[in-house]
Amino acid sequence: MREAGKMIPKLVMIHSLKLFDAIFTFTLLIPTLAIQDRYSCESESRSSSAASLSSEEHHGGHHPHRPRTTTPKPRPHCEEGWYTSYRPQGIWCMKIGIAHLTYHQSQSQCQTLGGVLSGIQNDAERQYMVNETVRQLIPTGITIAGLWLGASHNAGTRTFRWNDGNTQGVEGFFYGPGQPNNGNGDPRGPQNCLQLIVMTPAYWSAPNKWAPFTNTIDDYWCHMAHDPPTRLYVCGKRGPPDSPMSHLKLLLTISLLFLISTSSARDFGDDSSCESSEEHGGHGGGHGGRPRPPRPPQPTPRPDDAHRPRCAQGWFTSYRPQGIWCIRVGIGKLDYNQAAAQCATYGGVLSGIQNDWERWLISNEANRQTLAYNIQYSGIWLGAQRNPGSNTFSWTDGHTTGVQGMVFGPGQPDNKNRDNRGPQNCLQLIALTPGFWNNPGSQVWVSYQSGQIDDYWCDQVEDPAQRMYACGKLGPRE
């Protein structure tokens, strides 16, 4: 009986909310429908009597009411020291700590902070984890670390699931090459936990076996903490409610959209009701009033980029003539084929350049990333290959067209004048920060402008030494 007694208030609350929603919708939509004809017809009488209204105002008449503008309230965010992720299922707070702990010790540490080890919902969260880990590693001089994640091995398979009670789907499982491999039968037992491998830019001056794992996931033994030896962990917990009145806001938005769409439909519809009033003694001017001239056809507005579909968070959106193209720039000392494999982990390919705007975007994003580490120039792999038997190139991403984006540096492509290392069959974009010119680190690039292209050996990573890559993939359909 106690349980039944507890359930009654809950049921009353649920049904009350439903009833309130229905009443709220009704009260919003019914007045909206009622004012449409009045607004459409009275707009003309208001404009025709504008002079008299103006006269009244100057002689003490009432000023017309002006609607008040309101500034939208900012969305809630996590407490200080926690990163805020606005997930579809609600706000999720994340925090990264550094300590030489095993998986279970890290889980206990997160519990002391009111959370659990966190999963990865999407690529934006993974980028936060990478950037925050790098920020903590740089002062120590350590160049690589393993970050414990909240995941468990599915028994009898080589698959994993998130276990933090909030992360959903598989979008966040960015595995490294050949992973998860469960240790390939290693005698230490199954690898039932996951770690995110993170490198700082300085790692690439002396890379080791982890080089193919650029900010990707590896399965690992839960009780081990030595590979990589520097350990971190990411905690997660539920954040504040995104909006306690969200259901009211949704209903209000629907009602406003209905008002706008109904008003727009009248602009293109039949005005006979208003014209009839004018011609037959209505408020529009009495008998003998002149009918309004027909309205000119309304032009179809061009789509506003602010309301067009956009790429996922962490990707730049390029509105190409052939469709939306999503671009992201990554950092890592990878050769051409390794960079292409890295893009594949994001669901993309190495990207070509459609136009000058994309060229500017890629070079500036590369500079933004390298300036944080006081690196002044870099080479960014592009999705292109040399045409056999010629000194020309073609884009290979299956989407980029034309040659407008192929803005070569001085004397390029030169195929390195038939250097004994073989043909230069790949392309790199050279990005130079403003600080490069204060102390050029390479005399080779002083004749280049930032964003110009050089042909290069696909298997080389020395010049420039800082390597990056531009990934691309198809965006949402318009």
Side-chain angles (χ1 to χ4, degrees):
M1 290 296 292
R2 289 182 181 177
E3 294 298 323
K6 292 180 181 178
M7 288 298 294
I8 291 173
K10 293 182 180 179
L11 291 173
V12 171
M13 182 178 294
I14 291 171
H15 288 294
S16 297
L17 285 174
K18 289 182 178 179
L19 178 61
F20 177 76
D21 285 348
I23 295 172
F24 188 78
T25 306
F26 182 78
T27 57
L28 284 174
L29 292 181
I30 294 303
T32 297
L33 293 170
I35 67 173
Q36 290 304 302
D37 287 332
R38 286 175 51 195
Y39 175 80
S40 178
C41 296
E42 290 176 1
S43 60
E44 294 176 9
S45 62
R46 285 197 300 268
S47 62
S48 65
S49 57
S52 61
L53 284 174
S54 177
S55 176
E56 289 175 8
E57 290 173 7
H58 284 289
H59 291 82
H62 294 288
H63 289 277
H65 174 70
R66 295 180 181 178
R68 295 168 57 187
T69 58
T70 58
T71 302
K73 293 182 179 180
R75 298 178 74 180
H77 55 81
C78 301
E79 63 195 85
E80 187 174 359
W82 291 75
Y83 170 81
T84 304
S85 178
Y86 296 103
R87 293 179 170 183
Q89 58 270 35
I91 293 177
W92 186 246
C93 304
M94 289 184 288
K95 184 182 185 72
I96 290 177
I98 183 168
H100 195 75
L101 304 176
T102 66
Y103 172 87
H104 295 291
Q105 291 170 335
S106 297
Q107 189 71 272
S108 298
Q109 183 65 21
C110 287
Q111 289 171 359
T112 67
L113 301 174
V116 294
L117 281 172
S118 176
I120 303 176
Q121 181 67 39
N122 51 43
D123 194 41
E125 292 187 2
R126 181 174 68 123
Q127 288 303 312
Y128 154 73
M129 295 177 190
V130 170
N131 293 337
E132 176 59 17
T133 299
V134 169
R135 188 190 69 78
Q136 295 191 32
L137 289 180
I138 285 179
T140 70
I142 296 170
T143 62
I144 183 171
L147 179 76
W148 288 116
L149 303 174
S152 299
H153 190 255
N154 293 317
T157 72
R158 287 196 175 187
T159 62
F160 283 78
R161 66 185 183 279
W162 303 119
N163 60 18
D164 59 17
N166 189 268
T167 310
Q168 299 175 353
V170 296
E171 184 183 350
F173 285 110
F174 295 91
Y175 287 111
Q179 301 301 317
N181 65 3
N182 204 20
N184 291 324
D186 189 285
R188 285 173 285 187
Q191 294 180 320
N192 288 333
C193 294
L194 294 182
Q195 60 177 346
L196 178 69
I197 305 299
V198 180
M199 299 94 155
T200 72
Y203 166 86
W204 300 103
S205 61
N208 58 13
K209 69 173 186 177
W210 290 110
F213 289 74
T214 306
N215 307 329
T216 53
I217 296 174
D218 169 55
D219 56 343
Y220 193 53
W221 294 281
C222 303
H223 63 288
M224 306 293 284
H226 71 279
D227 195 16
T230 300
R231 311 302 304 175
L232 291 97
Y233 53 89
V234 55
C235 302
K237 63 181 182 180
R238 295 181 187 275
D242 200 353
S243 174
M245 300 293 287
S246 59
H247 65 292
L248 298 183
K249 291 180 180 178
L250 177 61
L251 291 171
L252 180 59
T253 301
I254 294 171
S255 301
L256 291 175
L257 290 174
F258 184 88
L259 170 63
I260 294 169
S261 62
T262 307
S263 177
S264 299
R266 178 167 293 282
D267 286 343
F268 293 94
D270 182 8
D271 295 330
S272 58
S273 60
C274 295
E275 292 175 358
S276 175
S277 174
E278 293 173 358
E279 293 171 3
H280 296 90
H283 295 288
H287 293 286
R290 290 179 300 171
R292 289 185 306 165
R295 294 179 180 178
Q298 301 296 314
T300 302
R302 294 184 61 185
D304 183 351
D305 284 358
H307 300 92
R308 298 173 72 181
R310 301 187 64 82
C311 298
Q313 190 173 4
W315 293 77
F316 294 99
T317 304
S318 179
Y319 295 106
R320 294 179 169 183
Q322 59 271 33
I324 294 177
W325 187 245
C326 303
I327 300 172
R328 70 174 297 153
V329 178
I331 187 169
K333 195 160 187 177
L334 308 175
D335 64 24
Y336 175 88
N337 291 317
Q338 290 170 333
Q342 183 65 23
C343 288
T345 67
Y346 304 139
V349 295
L350 281 171
S351 177
I353 301 177
Q354 183 67 36
N355 49 41
D356 283 338
W357 183 85
E358 290 185 4
R359 189 167 62 89
W360 171 88
L361 167 74
I362 294 170
S363 60
N364 278 274
E365 174 61 15
N367 287 340
R368 186 192 69 80
Q369 293 187 32
T370 57
L371 276 173
Y373 311 111
N374 200 30
I375 296 170
Q376 303 300 332
Y377 63 107
S378 60
I380 303 108
W381 289 116
L382 303 175
Q385 286 289 297
R386 179 180 294 277
N387 295 316
S390 74
N391 201 28
T392 62
F393 283 78
S394 296
W395 302 119
T396 59
D397 59 18
H399 195 265
T400 310
T401 59
V403 295
Q404 183 183 352
M406 288 192 183
V407 180
F408 288 101
Q412 301 300 320
D414 64 354
N415 206 14
K416 196 56 178 180
N417 297 320
R418 302 193 180 279
D419 186 283
N420 57 13
R421 284 173 285 184
Q424 294 181 317
N425 288 333
C426 294
L427 293 183
Q428 60 177 349
L429 181 140
I430 306 301
L432 309 171
T433 72
F436 169 83
W437 306 103
N438 297 331
N439 183 22
S442 172
Q443 294 299 318
V444 175
W445 307 117
V446 292
S447 61
Y448 277 66
Q449 296 179 19
S450 185
Q452 291 184 327
I453 296 174
D454 169 56
D455 57 343
Y456 195 54
W457 295 281
C458 302
D459 61 341
Q460 299 291 305
V461 292
E462 286 80 24
D463 197 15
Q466 181 58 60
R467 308 305 304 172
M468 305 183 76
Y469 50 89
C471 302
K473 64 181 181 180
L474 288 172
R477 297 184 63 180
E478 294 198 78

